[in-house]
Amino acid sequence: MPAQQKKIIFCIAGVLSFACALGTAAAIGTQLWVKGTILCKTGAVLVNATGQELEKFIGKIQYGLFYGERVRQCGLGGRPFQFSFFPDLLKIIPASTHVSVILFCTVLIIFALVGAGFFMFNAFGSPYETLHGPIGLYLWSFIACSCGCLIMILFSSEVKIHHLSEKIANFREGSFTFKTHSEQFANSFWIILVCSLVHFLNALLIRFAGFEFPFSKSKDSGTTTGAVDLMY
């Protein structure tokens, strides 16, 4: 492939990596990771609410990695309550998993920026070390993509397996019991998915530029080696 086309491909990949770093940084600071509704089970059972009456006992909840908000409905109107994970909810959440999600988000941002820098360096500079060349680009893209996948897996397990929404809904609730009525992942979670796909796409762009995947052996090298062995 001509050098000019390679520069264009590396520039595109660099811009995409930088955009992913900004998107991940913006996603961390929002509370748009999970949105859902919570049912005041105690109140609904007391009045035997069904149908439209049940709507008076369904509140809302949304949260991110650091803070969130819930609106409890127990038949007397909505009562909003804002909370933060640190230090308010630290005792009721799977703290190690939650901190790991934040840590991998930070690593994703760092390696997305590193990848963007090396993509631009390969587009406009002259690589002189292995990590500055195609192998390094594969490495940064692979690490960033892996971090994005780990973030989604860990956070999904925290929400679905550990029932994070219910734990938040029942935080500091004495006589009332809340149950998750519905929940879905919101924009910030899907931004992480898009970033993971972008870094995977960057690896394909490197291959499209004419550079072999790491640890792949070409047929020519195997043929040449066989010929040399026959000589000896």
Side-chain angles (χ1 to χ4, degrees):
M1 179 177 290
Q4 189 66 26
Q5 294 183 14
K6 290 181 180 179
K7 287 184 178 181
I8 294 175
I9 290 176
F10 284 149
C11 286
I12 294 174
V15 171
L16 290 176
S17 294
F18 185 73
C20 285
L22 293 181
T24 304
I28 291 177
T30 68
Q31 59 179 13
L32 299 177
W33 283 71
V34 174
K35 286 184 176 181
T37 57
I38 51 176
L39 171 66
C40 181
K41 186 177 179 181
T42 305
V45 170
L46 285 175
V47 300
N48 196 20
T50 57
Q52 294 182 351
E53 295 178 351
L54 200 62
E55 296 180 359
K56 297 180 180 180
F57 297 91
I58 297 178
K60 298 180 180 179
I61 186 172
Q62 66 176 15
Y63 55 90
L65 299 181
F66 292 98
Y67 62 98
E69 183 180 10
R70 76 182 186 198
V71 179
R72 64 194 298 272
Q73 290 268 14
C74 292
L76 299 175
R79 297 184 180 181
F81 174 75
Q82 295 183 348
F83 58 87
S84 61
F85 283 90
F86 305 99
D88 294 343
L89 304 176
L90 198 58
K91 294 182 179 179
I92 66 171
I93 65 172
S96 59
T97 304
H98 198 77
V99 172
S100 297
V101 172
I102 298 174
L103 178 62
F104 281 117
C105 283
T106 305
V107 175
L108 174 58
I109 294 173
I110 293 174
F111 279 97
L113 291 174
V114 170
F118 279 109
F119 274 117
M120 292 302 179
F121 183 84
N122 279 268
F124 300 103
S126 299
Y128 57 89
E129 292 181 6
T130 301
L131 293 182
H132 290 182
I135 295 180
L137 298 180
Y138 281 122
L139 177 63
W140 313 132
S141 299
F142 173 76
I143 293 176
C145 182
S146 300
C147 287
C149 293
L150 287 173
I151 292 168
M152 291 186 293
I153 293 172
L154 291 174
F155 189 75
S156 299
S157 66
E158 187 179 5
V159 173
K160 299 298 183 180
I161 298 177
H162 295 280
H163 306 289
L164 185 60
S165 298
E166 283 191 8
K167 290 182 178 180
I168 295 174
N170 290 283
F171 177 63
R172 292 180 180 175
E173 291 292 340
S175 57
F176 288 94
T177 301
F178 291 85
K179 184 179 180 181
T180 302
H181 187 261
S182 66
E183 64 179 0
Q184 60 274 345
F185 295 108
N187 298 339
S188 295
F189 180 84
W190 299 119
I191 288 176
I192 302 297
L193 173 61
V194 171
C195 289
S196 300
L197 295 176
V198 165
H199 289 296
F200 179 76
L201 175 63
N202 284 347
L204 297 181
L205 288 177
I206 300 169
R207 181 64 185 87
F208 182 71
F211 298 101
E212 296 289 339
F213 290 114
F215 309 112
S216 62
K217 296 181 180 180
S218 62
K219 296 181 179 180
D220 295 338
S221 61
T223 306
T224 305
T225 304
V228 173
D229 291 340
L230 290 175
M231 292 177 62
Y232 291 94

